[in-house]
């Protein structure tokens, strides 16, 4: 599994936004987090589209959390940022890209590993990350 910069920046942005009462604008966040403004804007728009953020337009616009930080799982955040399900390997969801499921001895192990990781990522919340509880 590869968490890309998109996942990292999504988590950093949500941490930044979490303790703010007012919508946070992309330019300020990009500067504070030292992230490309255009890349951060793309990530935040994806998070908003998936319901993790609320987006406000205008001079005092920006982004705020759509729910309590305890309701955000690391799995949901990463899935939204990456635009796909978190996967350890291509075949770890039980589908072999080269159609050798019946002969692959590793597939059951990879599926079990994927299930374990999904379970773990579903238990870690944004609140836990902010408060270093995991």
């Amino acid at each position: 599994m590869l968490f890309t910069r998109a996942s990292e920046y999504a988590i950093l942005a949500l941490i930044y936004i979490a303790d703010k009462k007012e919508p946070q604008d992309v330019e300020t966040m990009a500067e504070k987090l030292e992230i490309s403004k255009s890349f951060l804007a793309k990530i935040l728009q994806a998070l908003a589209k998936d319901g993790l953020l609320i987006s406000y337009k205008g001079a005092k616009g920006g982004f705020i959390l759509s729910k309590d930080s305890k309701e955000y799982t690391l799995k949901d955040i990463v899935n939204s940022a990456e635009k796909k399900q978190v996967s350890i390997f291509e075949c770890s969801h039980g589908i072999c890209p080269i159609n050798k499921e019946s002969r692959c001895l590793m597939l059951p192990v990879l599926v079990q590993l994927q299930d374990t990781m999904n379970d773990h990522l579903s238990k870690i919340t944004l609140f836990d990350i902010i408060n270093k509880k995991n």
Side-chain angles (χ1 to χ4, degrees):
M1 170 197 41
L2 180 65
F3 280 29
T4 67
R5 291 249 188 252
S7 294
E8 176 186 352
Y9 293 168
I11 295 165
L12 290 173
L14 290 172
I15 291 168
Y16 181 84
I17 294 169
D19 68 343
K20 308 292 190 281
K21 302 286 186 228
E22 301 295 322
Q24 298 300 300
D25 67 278
V26 176
E27 191 165 333
T28 302
M29 280 193 285
E31 184 179 310
K32 296 277 187 191
L33 298 172
E34 298 179 2
I35 299 171
S36 158
K37 180 182 169 185
S38 60
F39 189 38
L40 181 59
K42 181 179 174 183
I43 294 166
L44 295 174
Q45 289 164 357
L47 295 174
K49 182 180 177 199
D50 291 340
L52 280 76
L53 292 173
I54 297 172
S55 173
Y56 294 95
K57 297 186 186 290
K60 296 205 181 222
F63 296 88
I64 61 169
L65 297 184
S66 62
K67 49 194 171 186
D68 186 87
S69 63
K70 292 178 182 175
E71 297 178 57
Y72 290 79
T73 68
L74 189 52
K75 184 173 184 251
D76 292 337
I77 296 166
V78 172
N79 283 345
S80 179
E82 298 296 337
K83 292 292 168 227
K84 60 184 177 184
Q85 277 190 317
V86 175
S87 292
I88 296 174
F89 295 100
E90 269 187 287
C91 57
S92 57
H93 288 286
I95 301 168
C96 179
I98 56 174
N99 299 315
K100 293 186 179 182
E101 291 96 336
S102 62
R103 298 185 315 239
C104 181
L105 298 176
M106 284 298 299
L107 189 61
V109 174
L110 297 176
V111 169
Q112 183 180 18
L113 181 59
Q114 182 70 49
D115 291 345
T116 301
M117 188 194 66
N118 287 344
D119 183 54
H120 186 67
L121 292 177
S122 294
K123 290 178 182 174
I124 301 170
T125 67
L126 180 60
F127 178 86
D128 296 333
I129 295 168
I130 293 166
N131 293 288
K132 294 169 185 52
K133 296 178 186 174
N134 43 4

